[in-house]
Amino acid sequence: MESTPAPGENIAVLRKARGLGQAKLARLAGLSLSYLSKIEVGTRPVTPPVVAAVAKAMRVPTARIYGQPFLGVTEQAELLDDLRDSVRRYTLPREDVPPPALLAAAVDRAMRLRAETRYLELLAMLPKLLGQVTATALSSPGEAGAWAHVVDVYGCAYAAAHRMAQPDLADMIVSRQAWAAQQTWNPEAEVATAWNEAGTYQSAGQYADGISIVERAISKYENVARGNSPAKAMSLGSLHLRGVVLASRHKDKEAAADHLRKAHEYAELVQSDLLWHNLTFGPENTALYELAAHIELGKPDKAVEMGTVLVAAPPRTLTPNRLGRMYIDIARARLDTRDYSGAEEALDKAFAVSPQMTEVHPMAREVIRVLFVLHQRTRPALMTMAKRTGLSN
């Protein structure tokens, strides 16, 4: 069926290479034997916490489980190589300092492409733009606005590297982003960096460490922020949303509920969702994180209930990257409740609003794979999805 290995198949290959039986791996990873068997044959999706548990049991990075979602030599690979070279030369930009207005417009475009999940266009412009914003900042020591541009562009680069399944590059980008944030006192830039740093731990399945990063960033920001400004609500609310994901995947119900409660409190102060420093925060995005937490904590029925309302009236203030993720989460919840046609419908909406993200998103690919295996091969729309994600020729 598959042209590129799916996580379940990768687990089976790695397990056999290490001479592990299914029963032993299941025991080491804290899974039932039946569940692991279904994952390997493709009738159950591989969720992020399962990937983390199996990777830890077999002592491999989570990236080895997810595998490479692209086929052969791709345009993405060439663009990623250019980005990697630019990130490596972070203190040695080759680009000249452009006029301020042109640079600001380019940074705004990069953040818009990220929000719209137009990753190929974003990757094409990032190497040059990284050089330009860095050259500008280095020529203006201590200029907060110039270094904020560097932080924002690295934030765009992190999103692209993360979504294109390049964890080593994402880690390097976060270290560069932290370097830029420390060049001048800018607490919001440091929040954006902490958000991505926690994301690297999330991707690696190291949820407790990610929570520590979030809690440290919250404490640090609270020590310098005063009053109830929109910047404070956006910053702390966004950090709490990252905490919701990490805690729910760590199966810490109390911590997840606490982060969610505080996120809702800050969302009331913002009232309408805003995008700032590549972070989206507000009531509608907070609802999406609540839906995802229900899934991670084993309550797909509640997620389906929330999803029904959201599909009927999709949030209007959210960007395509958030809407696409919403539909992917709804598809996963419907799959868990055996609403296969509903899962396919949600995936179709994800492709419509955010095609480049949906094609490579691990959870979207897993839902498609399971639907494909569960006697859905004759459905034309599903066959198209499988081909777009490289799961079928």
Side-chain angles (χ1 to χ4, degrees):
M1 179 193 81
E2 298 171 348
S3 299
T4 55
E9 183 178 350
N10 288 333
I11 289 173
V13 170
L14 290 168
R15 174 180 62 77
K16 293 172 184 176
R18 283 158 175 72
L20 292 173
Q22 281 189 333
K24 184 172 183 179
L25 177 58
R27 184 173 65 255
L28 291 173
L31 307 173
S32 72
L33 176 58
S34 173
Y35 187 21
L36 178 60
S37 178
K38 290 176 181 178
I39 284 173
E40 290 192 2
V41 299
T43 58
R44 289 291 298 274
V46 184
T47 64
V50 168
V51 169
V54 172
K56 182 178 180 180
M58 292 199 288
R59 298 183 180 181
V60 298
T62 55
R64 287 287 301 279
I65 305 296
Y66 283 122
Q68 172 55 260
F70 310 117
L71 301 175
V73 178
T74 65
E75 180 182 359
Q76 291 97 324
E78 295 177 0
L79 293 173
L80 285 165
D81 284 343
D82 291 340
L83 176 59
R84 193 182 302 274
D85 182 59
S86 180
V87 172
R88 185 180 297 113
R89 294 184 291 98
Y90 72 109
T91 59
L92 300 171
R94 297 170 180 167
E95 289 74 15
D96 295 326
V97 176
L102 292 179
L103 184 63
V107 173
D108 286 343
R109 181 169 183 268
M111 291 194 290
R112 186 171 65 253
L113 291 174
R114 173 199 170 276
E116 294 174 356
T117 69
R118 292 158 61 185
Y119 297 120
L120 294 181
E121 293 175 67
L122 176 60
L123 283 170
M125 71 176 297
L126 276 175
K128 179 180 179 180
L129 182 57
L130 274 174
Q132 290 178 327
V133 293
T134 304
T136 300
L138 289 174
S139 68
S140 308
E143 174 56 44
W147 286 106
H149 276 333
V150 180
V151 171
D152 287 342
V153 176
Y154 271 119
C156 294
Y158 169 81
H162 167 69
R163 193 50 62 210
M164 294 297 173
Q166 301 291 316
D168 61 327
L169 177 57
D171 285 347
M172 184 163 60
I173 287 170
V174 169
S175 69
R176 304 301 192 247
Q177 188 179 32
W179 163 77
Q182 293 166 2
Q183 299 305 308
T184 184
W185 189 73
N186 188 327
E188 283 72 41
E190 292 190 359
V191 165
T193 301
W195 165 272
N196 288 335
E197 183 181 3
T200 64
Y201 286 97
Q202 179 179 310
S203 298
Q206 298 170 346
Y207 304 129
D209 290 337
I211 292 171
S212 296
I213 296 296
V214 167
E215 291 177 347
R216 184 175 67 190
I218 289 172
S219 177
K220 184 176 181 180
Y221 190 89
E222 287 178 336
N223 287 334
V224 299
R226 297 290 182 269
N228 292 313
S229 67
K232 180 179 179 180
M234 284 281 298
S235 298
L236 292 177
S238 295
L239 288 171
H240 282 297
L241 289 185
R242 179 66 89 182
V244 170
V245 178
L246 290 160
S248 60
R249 291 189 180 181
H250 197 46
K251 308 306 179 187
D252 188 336
K253 296 181 181 180
E254 292 185 2
D258 186 55
H259 281 296
L260 185 60
R261 176 181 58 80
K262 291 176 180 176
H264 276 300
E265 291 175 358
Y266 285 115
E268 291 179 0
L269 299 176
V270 175
Q271 295 186 347
S272 180
D273 286 71
L274 301 172
L275 176 63
W276 194 36
H277 288 297
N278 287 311
L279 301 177
T280 301
F281 183 72
E284 293 182 333
N285 199 32
T286 301
L288 268 56
Y289 277 80
E290 181 176 356
L291 182 151
H294 285 318
I295 300 172
E296 299 294 354
L297 293 173
K299 300 176 182 178
D301 290 335
K302 286 191 175 182
V304 168
E305 183 180 347
M306 287 188 68
T308 300
V309 176
L310 291 168
V311 170
R316 295 183 178 181
T317 61
L318 296 183
T319 53
N321 70 317
R322 296 308 307 145
L323 285 175
R325 181 56 195 265
M326 178 190 81
Y327 287 123
I328 292 171
D329 284 337
I330 291 172
R332 177 183 167 189
R334 290 176 174 177
L335 178 66
D336 286 348
T337 57
R338 300 187 179 183
D339 178 6
Y340 301 139
S341 61
E344 182 181 330
E345 175 191 29
L347 284 172
D348 187 59
K349 292 181 181 296
F351 273 109
V353 72
S354 183
Q356 290 185 22
M357 180 178 74
T358 307
E359 287 175 3
V360 298
H361 195 286
M363 205 65 246
R365 290 166 55 82
E366 278 298 283
V367 174
I368 292 169
R369 180 175 70 101
V370 173
L371 291 176
F372 199 86
V373 170
L374 292 175
H375 312 294
Q376 304 290 312
R377 295 173 176 82
T378 59
R379 298 176 70 88
L382 185 58
M383 177 63 76
T384 299
M385 292 181 192
K387 289 181 178 179
R388 290 185 67 174
T389 55
L391 293 172
S392 177
N393 288 319

